[in-house]
Amino acid sequence: MARVLYTAEATVTGGRVSGHGRTQDGVLDVQLRVPKEMGGDGGGTNPEQLFAVGYAACFEGALGVVGRRERVETGDASIESRVSLLPTEDRGFALAVELHVTLPQISDPEQAAQIVAAAHQVCPYSNATRGNIDIALTANGHKVDSGVGD
């Protein structure tokens, strides 16, 4: 087994309908609710929102790793993430993700796309979801071919 760098621990009770989630250290403490768009009352967060924030934050970290490796400044990067919940044919559910990356310090579209594609190879969320969900990437408004089956 690989050396563990960090382990996050959390407890959820009540699920997504009227639940509560809290990390062991208490830094994250959220009320979980079904969004109004899905017929719920809203008034809390939901797993898709948490995944969208987590994935975007993780991807930004991966951009920093790639930037350091390539000696390219990515410090002012921003990521707009969209996580969609989709029904499947077998009455289950699936996710789809869009990550729209803005790298204001990189004006060359090809270089921006290469950095985003490389970050997609480094990011733990990308590695965990690869082959399981559809992921669409853009860099500075241009579609990115990740070079792998997502």
Side-chain angles (χ1 to χ4, degrees):
M1 183 171 162
R3 179 175 64 100
V4 175
L5 299 175
Y6 173 73
T7 301
E9 296 181 38
T11 301
V12 172
T13 57
R16 71 181 297 137
V17 175
S18 61
H20 176 254
R22 184 178 185 278
T23 56
Q24 181 186 25
D25 61 8
V27 172
L28 180 65
D29 192 326
V30 295
Q31 299 302 315
L32 300 168
R33 301 293 183 266
V34 175
K36 290 181 180 183
E37 296 86 347
M38 290 177 57
D41 294 332
T45 191
N46 59 66
E48 294 74 33
Q49 289 174 325
L50 294 169
F51 191 77
V53 169
Y55 201 156
C58 188
F59 202 87
E60 194 278 333
L63 286 168
V65 167
V66 170
R68 286 187 296 280
R69 288 179 182 170
E70 301 292 324
R71 301 187 197 295
V72 175
E73 181 58 48
T74 62
D76 291 335
S78 68
I79 299 149
E80 178 185 317
S81 62
R82 294 180 181 154
V83 173
S84 299
L85 181 64
L86 312 167
T88 62
E89 290 181 15
D90 60 354
R91 300 183 62 186
F93 298 94
L95 296 175
V97 172
E98 297 175 37
L99 298 176
H100 301 284
V101 181
T102 301
L103 299 164
Q105 294 166 315
I106 300 173
S107 58
D108 178 25
E110 286 186 33
Q111 183 183 28
Q114 289 171 350
I115 290 169
V116 169
H120 188 50
Q121 296 303 309
V122 170
C123 178
Y125 275 62
S126 294
N127 290 329
T129 60
R130 188 167 287 114
N132 297 315
I133 65 175
D134 291 331
I135 299 175
L137 302 169
T138 64
N140 294 346
H142 299 279
K143 184 178 177 189
V144 173
D145 179 10
S146 65
V148 296
D150 290 316

